[in-house]
Amino acid sequence: MMKLEEAIVYVLVKRNGGMTTDQIAAAINRQRLHLRKDGMPVTSKQVYATICRFPEMFTKEAGRIMLLI
């Protein structure tokens, strides 16, 4: 099981382009890349919070999240 930030990187690399937080959360949940401790699906708010914690890895432009690495 991946950490949430690792799952976000994985999804963005596979997509090879920017995605919205909703799209990223849906892809993570569909592929079961990350599981919350309470067993609930990952939310777009969690994705956004994680992206904000790693400004050296992610950028947000025109509503889409992209990798900096």
Side-chain angles (χ1 to χ4, degrees):
M1 195 61 51
M2 297 181 189
K3 292 181 181 176
L4 185 52
E5 60 272 18
E6 294 169 340
I8 295 169
V9 169
Y10 179 84
V11 167
L12 289 173
V13 166
K14 297 272 288 187
R15 175 71 181 260
N16 197 16
M19 297 172 75
T20 65
T21 54
D22 286 335
Q23 290 171 324
I24 294 168
I28 289 170
N29 292 325
R30 190 171 46 251
Q31 298 174 49
R32 302 200 182 281
L33 299 175
H34 176 79
L35 202 59
R36 288 175 27 171
K37 288 185 177 101
D38 62 5
M40 298 298 289
V42 172
T43 66
S44 63
K45 287 181 181 174
Q46 283 180 295
V47 170
Y48 185 75
T50 301
I51 286 159
C52 290
R53 277 201 318 268
F54 294 94
E56 70 281 358
M57 290 172 61
F58 306 105
T59 184
K60 184 173 184 182
E61 292 177 27
R64 292 177 126 17
I65 309 303
M66 291 176 256
L67 281 175
L68 289 173
I69 53 172

